[in-house]
């Protein structure tokens, strides 16, 4: 039970089975062998999660929280956002959201939160069972929403909530911001000792920070293989393969997995094997995936000879890794976690996107305006305009949602994408 | 005097005018640096240009604020201040600063989020001083004794507001709901030199019996659409108190005895009434609401939500559930700002009032 991860991963493995068309799609190259290994890891972790409740302290954690600090305490971690993505991919979003709505949660709220609350009220989940938490650990480095959502959970479950508060970087990060976050780490240690019944072990923390950094760097290298032409995988593959870096961060298993994946991808690159057979155009994706449309979109774009080779979303778990330093674990985690894309001003986002477009030789951009996610979506209309002005990259905005398919219009999306495909050929 | 006339007058007097977005900010620092902060909550505009920058699912506080800028109505301002109130304001701040090519200085003010710890206090103090240091580059140094005077003026404003709120809670105010909020909201742009006499005058003039009808508490971001106040007046309902972000949550702050003005401001911030935007727990918010209900004899709470306002909408289900369990009536409405009350909302408010009468 040492390297436990999110139980929802098991469900994702089932999604993996379904997410590939039953008849092989002629537009795709050979599937990644590693997918099988990913499923094994997920299954194992799912099995272990069933025994976690009662045997180990369990924490529900937000995707951007500095989870390394929980690891030395042997706390089992569950990621409700991953679970939300899984429910979305299994097309259970509307059903679970509706349960939360019956309890008064407005349809305009983030659907990851509504799914999680819907699961809390109904117990429904495609992942078998989620272990009940003893602790909630959230960081507002991705949004304030998680703070509201976890506050609601804390009230219902009557358990403590630790909020790691990361000041938004309107300009450069300051020393005062860093000290504030370091002090918060120091303040949370006694709480974690109490919840876990274990004493804090600094050396162990250093070890987890080192492993977490190595895994994130390796994940970065995995993504970087997509700079090759043809790219050895698509961003839709990466959306699935990113689960360990979100859920198992800091654990040796994640590092081991990404090393295996990296060598397979390098092998493909050296033999010129592409994720899609005819890679004519290369695209970038902005924002979280539209989980219930992954398969449709991946076939649609592959059919056009268009491959997504980079995304701001997948990049988020690699981007600030270099700041991690086991010799200064708190300070370096403060920097790495507060400089993530969603906690940074929009100018840095623009610069990041410009860099990715150049490095990955991107021809076009698909922007998902996600109704759930205001911090990711507000500013996208201007980003589209500025990227066109600066780099002449054509782009399209899809108005949708991450998991609640009721906010998705098939017709409107088709019309917009057809216009985009035309512009890409122009 | 209208807001516009007031701004022109202040400008002529040599004051710097800053557009300040919701909600909480250290106004005393601005006053002391010769700035008239003009708050931007719900300007009466039609949204046109802002739709090219913001998605349909963004609240109208943010949209109207941007619209005000795009329509050139902030051209005479000397700067903007964006407190970190929510994700939408945060990104709006960045759009204005990074993408609109504005020449005006934009300042940002981050509030630590609860639960407040020693780290939060240290950070907040440093942040107050950091803001003053940034403003200094544009406005010159901060005069410490002036700041002390401004902190004292802030206390006077609060004390008058508290008196007004107390009178209203105990049914000793003859002013209508509309009149009450019209006066309170003048504080969104009047400097204390002008706001204090206005409040004093209003206090004296409106002493008297409140309407005899049922009492309610309003909760939400701000008293908008204004038609709701008119309707409640017509129905003989007394708004006995409020839990508005723009009103009691940031105006009725406890006094600090600290002699250092920065410490006084910090103490005040941490002792402010509970609020969604600073991460207060549901229990704190419930206790605050129950306190208001007990102090005023209110029979119900109307949650007047701004559409798409995540911070508020997240707390509502738990607040409603617990209020109902205590036998209190609740009504949740959500609307876009300045869009009036639809026929359906009108009917729902009337039905609610009938229920508590
Ligand atoms: S989808 Fe956006 S708003 Fe929802 S939890 Fe994720 S980052 Fe926060
Ligand atoms: S109404 Fe709500 S979402 Fe809009 S700016 Fe105010 S706090 Fe933010």
């Amino acid at each position: 039970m040492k390297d436990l991860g999110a139980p929802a991963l098991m469900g994702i493995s089932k999604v993996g089975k379904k997410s590939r068309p039953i008849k092989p799609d002629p537009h795709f190259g050979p599937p990644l062998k590693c997918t099988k290994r990913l499923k094994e890891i997920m299954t194992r972790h799912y099995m272990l999660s069933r025994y976690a409740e009662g045997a180990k302290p369990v924490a529900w954690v937000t995707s951007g929280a500095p989870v390394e600090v929980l690891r030395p305490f042997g706390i089992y971690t569950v990621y409700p956002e991953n679970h939300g993505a899984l429910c979305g991919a299994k097309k259970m979003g509307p059903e679970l959201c509706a349960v939360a709505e019956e309890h008064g949660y407005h349809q305009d709220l983030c659907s990851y939160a509504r799914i999680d609350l819907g699961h809390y009220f109904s117990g429904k989940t495609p992942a078998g069972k989620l272990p009940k938490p003893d602790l909630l650990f959230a960081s507002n480095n991705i949004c304030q929403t998680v703070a509201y959502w976890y506050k609601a959970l804390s009230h219902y479950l009557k358990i403590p909530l630790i909020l790691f508060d990361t000041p938004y970087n309107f300009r450069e990060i300051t020393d005062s911001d860093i000290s504030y976050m370091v002090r918060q780490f120091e303040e949370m240690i006694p709480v974690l000792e109490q919840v876990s019944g274990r004493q804090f072990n600094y050396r162990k923390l250093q070890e987890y920070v080192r492993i977490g950094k190595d895994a994130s760097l390796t994940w970065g290298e995995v993504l970087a293989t997509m700079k090759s032409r043809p790219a050895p995988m698509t961003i839709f593959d990466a959306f699935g393969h990113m689960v360990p870096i979100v859920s198992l961060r800091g654990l040796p298993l994640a590092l081991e997995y990404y090393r295996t994946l990296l060598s397979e991808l390098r092998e493909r690159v050296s033999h010129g094997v592409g994720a899609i057979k005819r890679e004519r155009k290369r695209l970038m994706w902005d924002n979280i995936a539209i989980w219930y449309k992954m398969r449709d979109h991946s076939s649609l774009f592959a059919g056009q000879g268009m491959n997504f080779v980079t995304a701001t979303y997948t990049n988020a778990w690699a981007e600030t890794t270099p700041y991690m330093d086991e010799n200064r674990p708190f300070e370096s985690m403060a920097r790495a976690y507060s400089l993530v894309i969603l906690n940074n001003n929009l100018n840095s986002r623009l610069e990041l996107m410009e860099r990715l477009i150049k490095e990955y030789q991107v021809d076009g951009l698909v922007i998902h305006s996600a109704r759930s996610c205001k911090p990711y979506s507000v500013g996208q209309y201007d980003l589209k305009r500025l990227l066109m002005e600066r780099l002449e990259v054509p782009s399209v905005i899809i108005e949708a949602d991450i998991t609640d398919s009721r906010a998705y219009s098939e017709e409107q999306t088709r019309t917009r994408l057809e216009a985009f495909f035309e512009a890409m050929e122009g | 005097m209208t807001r516009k006339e007031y701004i022109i007058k202040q400008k002529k007097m040599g004051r710097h005018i800053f557009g300040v977005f919701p909600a909480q900010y250290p106004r005393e620092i601005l006053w002391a640096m010769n700035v008239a902060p003009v708050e931007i909550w719900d300007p009466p505009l039609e949204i046109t240009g802002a739709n090219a920058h913001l998605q349909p699912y963004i609240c109208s506080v943010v949209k109207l604020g941007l619209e005000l800028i795009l329509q050139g109505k902030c051209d005479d301002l000397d700067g903007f201040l964006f407190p970190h109130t929510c994700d939408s304001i945060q990104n709006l701040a960045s759009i204005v600063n990074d993408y609109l090519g504005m020449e005006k200085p934009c300042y940002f003010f981050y509030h630590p989020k609860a639960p407040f710890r020693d780290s939060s206090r240290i950070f907040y103090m440093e942040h107050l001083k950091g803001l003053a240091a940034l403003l200094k580059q544009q406005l010159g140094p901060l005069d410490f004794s002036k700041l002390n005077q401004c902190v004292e003026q802030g206390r006077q404003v609060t004390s008058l507001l508290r008196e007004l709120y107390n009178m209203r809670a105990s049914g000793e105010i003859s002013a209508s709901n509309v009149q009450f909020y019209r006066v309170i909201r003048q504080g969104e742009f009047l400097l204390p030199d002008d706001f204090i006499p206005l409040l004093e005058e209003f206090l004296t003039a409106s002493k008297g019996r409140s309407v005899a009808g049922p009492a309610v508490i309003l909760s939400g971001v701000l008293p908008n659409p204004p038609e709701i106040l008119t309707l409640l007046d017509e129905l003989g309902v007394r708004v006995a108190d409020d839990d508005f972000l723009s009103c009691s949550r940031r105006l009725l702050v406890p006094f600090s005895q600290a002699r250092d003005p920065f410490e006084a401001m910090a103490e005040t911030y941490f002792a402010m009434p509970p609020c969604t935007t600073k991460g207060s727990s549901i229990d704190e918010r419930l206790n605050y609401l129950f306190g208001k209900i007990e102090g005023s004899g209110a029979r119900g709470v109307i949650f007047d939500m701004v559409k798409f306002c995540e911070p508020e909408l997240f707390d509502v289900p738990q607040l409603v559930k617990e209020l109902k369990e205590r036998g209190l009536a609740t009504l949740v409405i959500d609307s876009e700002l300045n869009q009036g009350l639809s026929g359906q909302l009108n009917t729902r408010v009337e039905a609610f009032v009938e229920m508590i009468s």
Side-chain angles (χ1 to χ4, degrees):
Chain A
M1 298 276 289
K2 201 169 162 220
D3 52 356
L4 298 177
L9 296 177
M10 167 62 180
I12 297 258
S13 79
K14 288 183 202 159
V15 172
K17 266 182 211 151
K18 274 203 161 177
S19 68
R20 283 272 176 235
I22 297 161
K23 255 202 258 164
D25 188 322
H27 301 107
F28 289 105
L32 287 167
K33 290 186 219 127
C34 257
T35 307
K36 189 165 164 260
R37 175 71 186 130
L38 182 65
K39 286 177 189 172
E40 282 165 13
I41 293 173
M42 291 166 178
T43 309
R44 176 164 167 265
H45 286 285
Y46 171 67
M47 294 306 290
L48 291 173
S49 86
R50 297 197 171 165
Y51 303 104
E53 198 176 316
K56 279 181 152 253
V58 174
W60 285 11
V61 183
T62 62
S63 63
V67 68
E68 290 84 350
V69 76
L70 302 191
R71 302 286 185 215
F73 296 96
I75 295 174
Y76 183 92
T77 53
V78 171
Y79 283 78
E81 289 153 77
N82 263 356
H83 178 244
L86 162 69
C87 295
K90 299 286 279 179
K91 301 193 174 24
M92 280 180 71
E95 181 189 343
L96 283 164
C97 285
V99 177
E101 287 155 24
E102 278 161 25
H103 284 78
Y105 290 92
H106 204 288
Q107 199 173 340
D108 294 332
L109 298 173
C110 165
S111 62
Y112 276 168
R114 276 181 290 139
I115 284 180
D116 189 46
L117 290 160
H119 157 260
Y120 166 76
F121 293 124
S122 67
K124 283 185 192 160
T125 164
K129 183 179 178 283
L130 296 189
K132 268 207 180 141
D134 304 289
L135 172 74
L136 298 162
F137 185 39
S139 175
N140 54 2
N141 58 349
I142 51 170
C143 58
Q144 301 307 311
T145 302
V146 291
Y148 317 139
W149 159 17
Y150 276 51
K151 184 175 80 172
L153 286 176
S154 165
H155 187 74
Y156 284 126
L157 294 160
K158 309 268 175 273
I159 53 170
L161 160 63
I162 296 179
L163 176 72
F164 181 59
D165 182 19
T166 53
Y168 178 71
N169 300 304
F170 184 67
R171 291 208 165 79
E172 299 293 302
I173 194 165
T174 65
D175 289 344
S176 166
D177 297 335
I178 300 279
S179 323
Y180 173 44
M181 290 180 275
V182 168
R183 284 192 195 101
Q184 289 182 66
F185 279 125
E186 289 161 359
E187 286 164 337
M188 68 177 79
I189 297 297
V191 183
L192 294 172
E193 285 182 329
Q194 203 186 357
V195 170
S196 67
R198 276 198 199 180
Q199 274 227 316
F200 177 54
N201 183 328
Y202 187 79
R203 299 261 302 263
K204 270 193 178 172
L205 174 68
Q206 289 182 301
E207 179 70 2
Y208 286 114
V209 167
R210 188 183 57 74
I211 297 171
K213 176 176 180 171
D214 286 350
S216 288
L217 287 174
T218 315
W219 170 244
E221 289 180 79
V222 162
L223 294 176
T225 62
M226 288 195 281
K227 287 180 187 168
S228 309
R229 277 179 186 268
M233 70 171 176
T234 82
I235 216 64
F236 297 108
D237 294 318
F239 285 152
H241 289 276
M242 70 189 273
V243 178
I245 199 59
V246 179
S247 308
L248 306 177
R249 212 162 54 247
L251 300 178
L253 195 61
L255 176 59
E256 176 220 296
Y257 176 68
Y258 287 123
R259 282 185 176 150
T260 317
L261 177 61
L262 181 61
S263 70
E264 185 186 350
L265 291 169
R266 284 188 171 155
E267 179 79 15
R268 282 169 78 115
V269 169
S270 69
H271 291 94
V273 178
I276 68 169
K277 285 199 181 136
R278 203 170 50 107
E279 185 187 283
R280 294 187 309 112
K281 302 277 182 189
R282 296 161 64 83
L283 305 178
M284 173 158 83
W285 179 273
D286 183 48
N287 212 325
I288 302 169
I290 305 174
W291 295 109
Y292 46 91
K293 280 283 156 192
M294 288 256 287
R295 183 155 41 123
D296 292 357
H297 285 161
S298 111
S299 297
L300 177 71
F301 284 93
Q304 297 285 330
M306 295 182 188
N307 191 16
F308 284 94
V309 294
T310 185
T312 51
Y313 180 47
T314 45
N315 186 64
W317 279 268
E319 189 191 339
T320 60
T321 316
Y323 293 116
M324 297 285 265
D325 178 357
E326 66 196 275
N327 296 315
R328 294 171 301 125
F330 288 152
E331 191 193 322
S332 67
M333 278 197 289
R335 206 173 280 277
Y337 279 96
S338 73
L339 284 169
V340 294
I341 180 169
L342 294 183
N343 203 46
N344 242 345
N345 57 67
L346 292 173
N347 208 24
S348 331
R349 198 182 302 183
L350 179 62
E351 282 167 10
L352 168 75
M353 288 171 83
E354 281 186 290
R355 182 168 61 73
L356 291 176
I357 287 170
K358 285 178 189 154
E359 284 179 5
Y360 286 78
Q361 306 148 65
V362 166
D363 306 303
L365 168 64
V366 176
I367 297 170
H368 169 206
S369 160
R371 199 181 167 84
S372 273
C373 191
K374 293 174 178 71
Y376 221 143
S377 306
V378 176
Q380 284 177 318
Y381 290 4
D382 286 281
L383 271 167
K384 176 178 161 55
R385 172 179 58 82
L386 290 163
L387 286 171
M388 187 63 190
E389 277 170 23
R390 292 186 184 189
L391 301 176
E392 294 189 7
V393 180
S395 54
V396 61
I397 293 184
I398 305 178
E399 299 286 351
D401 185 56
I402 50 180
T403 64
D404 189 348
S405 52
R406 293 171 298 176
Y408 182 85
S409 158
E410 194 70 63
E411 210 181 297
Q412 191 204 57
T413 310
R414 283 258 160 205
T415 315
R416 289 197 177 181
L417 287 180
E418 275 163 19
F420 175 66
F421 293 149
E422 254 176 52
M424 288 291 291
E425 304 302 341
Chain B
M1 193 183 295
T2 65
R3 177 186 283 236
K4 194 169 173 195
E5 289 163 350
Y6 187 76
I7 294 171
I8 293 170
K9 185 178 153 204
Q10 294 306 318
K11 199 127 185 139
K12 279 195 187 139
M13 288 166 71
R15 294 226 161 82
H16 304 275
I17 314 292
F18 271 35
V20 181
F21 279 77
Q24 202 279 330
Y25 60 99
R27 53 191 185 167
E28 295 85 351
I29 293 181
L30 295 181
W31 295 340
M33 295 182 98
N34 202 28
V35 173
V38 177
E39 298 177 8
I40 301 170
W41 289 87
D42 52 352
L45 300 172
E46 197 182 323
I47 297 167
T48 52
N51 289 331
H53 299 266
L54 299 167
Q55 284 92 336
Y57 48 83
I58 304 305
C59 80
S60 43
V61 169
V62 165
K63 280 201 169 159
L64 285 167
L66 181 58
E67 190 65 41
L68 194 76
I69 296 174
L70 295 173
Q71 289 192 13
K73 295 187 191 297
C74 296
D75 288 357
D76 292 335
L77 302 188
D78 301 294
F80 290 107
L81 174 64
F82 295 89
H84 186 270
T85 299
C86 60
D87 289 325
S88 300
I89 293 249
Q90 165 195 293
N91 280 30
L92 171 71
S94 205
I95 289 178
V96 174
N97 189 52
D98 297 333
Y99 291 169
L100 293 188
M102 304 247 316
E103 297 293 307
K104 285 188 203 311
C106 293
Y107 301 91
F108 190 79
F109 189 73
Y110 190 83
H111 312 102
K113 307 292 182 280
F116 299 127
R117 303 154 279 217
D118 288 346
S119 57
S120 324
R121 283 164 207 280
I122 298 167
F123 174 75
Y124 192 74
M125 284 282 284
E126 287 173 357
H127 213 52
L128 286 175
K129 290 177 182 166
L131 177 69
L134 274 179
L135 287 168
K136 181 180 157 190
Q137 294 168 19
Q138 182 189 353
L139 307 166
L142 171 67
D143 177 339
F144 213 69
S145 64
K146 184 86 205 295
L147 181 60
N148 265 323
Q149 281 169 25
C150 292
V151 168
E152 186 45 44
Q153 278 196 311
R155 285 188 185 124
Q156 280 177 47
V157 170
T158 307
S159 148
L160 287 163
L161 286 169
R162 190 182 300 286
E163 204 177 329
L164 266 173
Y165 266 78
N166 287 343
M167 276 166 59
R168 185 172 70 151
S170 42
E172 292 162 8
I173 199 167
S174 59
S176 68
N177 299 318
V178 169
Q179 287 166 334
F180 184 86
Y181 284 102
R182 192 178 294 142
V183 170
I184 297 291
R185 295 199 62 189
Q186 301 269 308
E188 291 169 15
F189 63 93
L190 291 183
L191 287 164
D193 283 347
D194 302 306
F195 194 39
I196 290 169
L198 176 74
L199 288 175
E200 285 169 340
E201 196 185 312
F202 182 62
L203 232 158
T204 320
S206 54
K207 270 195 181 126
R209 274 256 173 84
S210 303
V211 288
V216 295
I217 310 278
L218 299 183
S219 177
V221 170
L222 74 167
N224 191 304
E227 288 79 359
I228 193 169
L229 299 174
T230 317
L231 178 61
L232 292 173
D233 279 332
E234 283 166 11
L235 295 171
V237 175
R238 174 170 61 103
V239 175
D241 211 326
D242 73 59
D243 168 45
F244 279 128
L245 167 59
S246 73
C247 299
S248 84
R249 283 191 219 162
R250 64 184 194 128
L251 300 178
L252 301 186
V253 291
F255 294 134
S256 154
Q257 299 305 326
R259 301 212 6 226
D260 175 277
F262 286 103
E263 263 177 37
M265 281 186 280
E267 264 187 31
T268 301
Y269 174 72
F270 290 107
M272 272 169 72
C275 181
T276 53
T277 65
K278 57 181 190 135
S280 308
S281 69
I282 302 284
D283 282 337
E284 286 171 298
R285 291 206 60 206
L286 275 169
N287 288 339
Y288 183 66
L289 276 175
F290 286 135
K292 287 195 171 291
I293 290 162
E294 274 158 29
S296 67
R299 295 192 201 155
V301 179
I302 299 178
F303 292 93
D304 177 17
M305 301 286 103
V306 177
K307 200 156 170 44
F308 305 114
C309 175
E310 280 218 341
E312 293 294 308
L313 286 170
F314 256 106
D315 279 7
V316 164
Q318 287 170 323
L319 297 178
V320 165
K321 183 171 169 275
E322 308 231 6
L323 287 167
K324 278 191 174 156
E325 278 170 12
R326 299 246 193 138
L328 288 148
T330 58
L331 173 69
V332 183
I333 54 174
D334 74 329
S335 58
E336 301 270 4
L337 296 178
N338 303 333
Q339 295 298 307
L341 269 189
S342 66
Q344 196 204 21
L345 283 185
N346 220 80
T347 312
R348 288 181 60 209
V349 174
E350 282 171 357
F352 175 78
V353 171
E354 214 168 275
M355 193 169 76
I356 58 169
S357 296

